[in-house]
């Protein structure tokens, strides 16, 4: 039951990174967009489904709290600062999306949308780096500093996550946009995808110097880790070659980057399992009792199909490319 619950948490993590990842990436991309109409078009792409995408973050937090309370109670105090910053940025981002969508033009709200997206992405990168730090635990409770999450590796992780989200945002924009916005997303997407890939390689190398390095003992684990990384490399190649504005395959860049995200997360799980964080926080010694997990799985299990359906419906309802002049007609997703 512990393994099943861990897989549920892993599903929530992957769904959030992929779905809200492109949302945050589009927000970051809007900061570098010189054209006001294009900035608003980027915001409207997010307004179509951002609320459903962020639901996975709520489900992720609830699942971690319910399934592994000891790990949750130890890791969260260590990451209080980035988590609080992230939540505040997500609130500002949600308000700015709705305000700018309903009262266009709203350049200040659009700027707030972009800045909040960047801050949220950086904060998430710092929070993820918490899993590699040494947590001070006394008698089963965290007793370290809430600023302990700030380190050189957390800075590297923050920039990597932000660049990865930016690449996802450009790939999604190339898939949905037309004309000059599509072309600009393609050319900038190539740069951001290459940069994110190089930073990800740097993180994989640098994690060996942290308190929780990758554990690749045994040939089976090494082979599996290397095989999954090959899928990530293939995804990078596919996304970079098809992101170019001259490429007619607008959906392949996003598919390639999703492959990269899934492969990297699986590779990290293979290299860390069953350790959640240092010192000695594993699935076995931090999970809730099996009876509790079975009871909670009913409620969580009922919500997962509903959220999946909502995500599908929101993206299906706004499928296809948006015409370049749709902003003046008031037919965007945020104006519903």
């Amino acid at each position: 039951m512990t393994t099943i619950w861990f897989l549920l948490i892993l599903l929530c993590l992957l769904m959030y990174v992929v779905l809200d990842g492109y949302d945050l990436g589009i927000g970051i991309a809007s900061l570098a967009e010189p054209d006001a109409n294009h900035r608003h078009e980027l915001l409207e792409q997010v307004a179509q489904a951002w609320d459903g995408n962020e639901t996975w973050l709520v489900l992720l937090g609830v699942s971690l709290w319910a399934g592994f309370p000891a790990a949750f109670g130890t890791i969260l105090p260590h990451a209080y600062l980035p988590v609080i910053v992230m939540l505040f940025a997500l609130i500002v981002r949600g308000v700015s999306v709705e305000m700018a969508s309903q009262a266009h033009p709203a350049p200040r709200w659009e700027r707030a949308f972009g800045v909040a997206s960047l801050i949220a992405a950086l904060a998430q990168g710092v929070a993820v780096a918490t899993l590699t730090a040494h947590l001070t635990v006394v008698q089963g409770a965290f007793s370290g500093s809430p600023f302990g999450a700030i380190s050189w590796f957390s800075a590297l992780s923050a920039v990597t996550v932000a660049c990865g989200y930016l690449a996802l945002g450009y790939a999604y924009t190339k898939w949905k946009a037309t004309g000059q916005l599509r072309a600009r997303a393609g050319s900038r997407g190539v740069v951001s995808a290459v940069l994110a890939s190089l930073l990800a390689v740097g993180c994989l190398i640098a994690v060996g110097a942290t308190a929780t390095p990758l554990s690749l003992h045994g040939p089976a684990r090494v082979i599996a880790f290397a095989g999954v990384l090959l899928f990530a490399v293939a995804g990078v190649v596919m996304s970079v070659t098809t992101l170019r504005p001259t490429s007619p395959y607008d959906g392949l860049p996003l598919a390639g980057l999703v492959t990269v995200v899934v492969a990297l997360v699986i590779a990290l799980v293979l290299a860390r399992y069953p350790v959640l964080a240092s010192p000695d926080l594993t699935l076995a010694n931090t999970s809730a009792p099996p009876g509790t997990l079975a009871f909670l799985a009913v409620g969580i299990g009922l919500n997962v199909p509903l959220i999946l359906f909502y995500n599908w419906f929101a993206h299906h309802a706004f499928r296809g490319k948006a015409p370049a002049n749709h902003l003046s007609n008031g037919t965007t997703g945020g104006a519903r």
Side-chain angles (χ1 to χ4, degrees):
M1 196 64 197
T2 300
T3 302
I4 294 175
W5 196 267
F6 176 71
L7 293 176
L8 175 63
I9 292 175
L10 193 61
L11 171 65
C12 295
L13 175 64
L14 287 172
M15 293 298 296
Y16 175 77
V17 170
V18 170
L19 293 177
D20 206 45
Y22 82 74
D23 273 4
L24 291 170
I26 290 174
I28 299 172
S30 68
L31 294 174
E33 178 55 53
D35 186 86
N37 287 330
H38 286 168
R39 282 198 304 271
H40 190 70
E41 187 172 353
L42 290 173
L43 183 141
E44 289 296 342
Q45 291 179 7
V46 173
Q48 296 171 1
W50 73 270
D51 46 358
N53 296 345
E54 289 189 356
T55 305
W56 290 104
L57 181 62
V58 178
L59 195 61
L60 173 63
V62 172
S63 300
L64 182 60
W65 167 75
F68 302 97
F72 183 86
T74 304
I75 296 173
L76 184 61
H78 185 73
Y80 269 152
L81 183 60
V83 169
I84 291 174
V85 171
M86 177 196 71
L87 293 176
F88 180 76
L90 291 179
I91 292 172
V92 173
R93 183 170 171 268
V95 173
S96 62
V97 166
E98 296 301 325
M99 294 298 293
S101 182
Q102 299 295 334
H104 179 65
R108 292 183 179 178
W109 285 115
E110 291 173 0
R111 180 64 61 179
F113 162 69
V115 172
S117 298
L118 177 60
I119 293 175
L122 293 173
Q124 288 180 15
V126 174
V128 168
T130 299
L131 300 177
T132 67
H134 181 84
L135 307 182
T136 305
V137 180
V138 177
Q139 296 180 351
F142 177 77
S143 61
S145 169
F147 298 96
I150 308 301
S151 65
W152 64 269
F153 186 78
S154 66
L156 176 61
S157 176
V159 176
T160 302
V161 170
C163 287
Y165 285 170
L166 181 61
L168 282 170
Y170 278 131
Y172 186 84
T173 301
K174 184 174 186 286
W175 183 37
K176 299 292 290 184
T178 58
Q180 186 180 8
L181 182 59
R182 172 192 174 276
R184 188 174 293 147
S187 58
R188 293 180 177 179
V190 171
V191 177
S192 59
V194 172
L195 181 58
S197 301
L198 294 176
L199 288 171
V201 172
C203 282
L204 289 176
I205 296 173
V207 75
T210 65
T212 312
L214 302 181
S215 177
L216 297 174
H217 304 296
R221 181 169 290 199
V222 172
I223 293 174
F225 181 79
V228 175
L229 286 185
L230 287 178
F231 276 98
V233 173
V236 171
V237 173
M238 181 171 69
S239 61
V240 170
T241 55
T242 56
L243 260 172
R244 294 175 294 108
T246 55
S247 173
Y249 305 105
D250 289 355
L252 288 182
L254 185 61
L257 291 177
V258 170
T259 301
V260 174
V261 170
V262 174
L264 287 179
V265 171
I266 293 176
L268 291 176
V269 170
L270 289 173
R272 293 283 301 274
Y273 187 88
V275 176
L276 290 176
S278 175
D280 302 327
L281 291 177
T282 66
L283 298 182
N285 61 21
T286 61
S287 65
T292 302
L293 293 179
F295 176 78
L296 292 170
V298 176
I300 300 295
L302 291 175
N303 279 280
V304 169
L306 293 176
I307 299 174
L308 286 172
F309 174 78
Y310 181 83
N311 288 142
W312 170 83
F313 179 79
H315 289 85
H316 179 75
F318 296 98
R319 64 190 180 277
K321 289 184 176 291
N325 62 345
H326 74 293
L327 293 175
S328 60
N329 297 330
T331 58
T332 60
R336 61 190 185 280

